[in-house]
């Protein structure tokens, strides 16, 4: 969908869309190579597992997100 709208279909592409709205951007470890370019957009980057297949994974992600500091 992002590509169809003319945007880069990646974590960095999404970060560019949100750069004016947020100071922190969360990415999955699979996208960790994009952390540097996202930081250059002026955002703090948090790398945490975002795939949630189990209740335990959901809780872990929620705890990680709640512990983030603005």
């Amino acid at each position: 969908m992002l590509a169809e709208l003319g945007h880069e279909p990646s974590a960095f592409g999404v970060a560019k869309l949100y750069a004016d709205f947020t100071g922190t951007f969360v990415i999955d470890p699979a996208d960790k190579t994009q952390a540097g370019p996202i930081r250059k957009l002026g955002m703090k980057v948090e790398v945490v597992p975002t795939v949630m297949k189990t209740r335990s994974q959901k809780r872990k992600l929620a705890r990680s997100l709640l512990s983030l500091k603005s």
Side-chain angles (χ1 to χ4, degrees), residues 9-69:
S10 66
F12 178 71
V14 174
K16 288 192 324 189
L17 295 172
Y18 282 89
D20 293 335
F21 299 73
T22 185
T24 303
F25 197 74
V26 176
I27 61 173
D28 191 82
D31 299 315
K32 68 182 175 185
T33 60
Q34 297 178 52
I38 294 171
R39 285 188 188 100
K40 288 181 182 177
L41 295 173
M43 288 191 259
K44 178 181 175 186
V45 178
E46 294 291 335
V47 181
V48 296
T50 59
V51 177
M52 302 169 289
K53 294 181 180 178
T54 66
R55 185 173 290 199
S56 174
Q57 290 169 327
K58 292 174 186 180
R59 287 182 180 141
K60 187 173 183 178
L61 177 59
R63 281 196 291 294
S64 295
L65 296 176
L66 289 171
S67 71
L68 295 179
K69 297 186 182 207

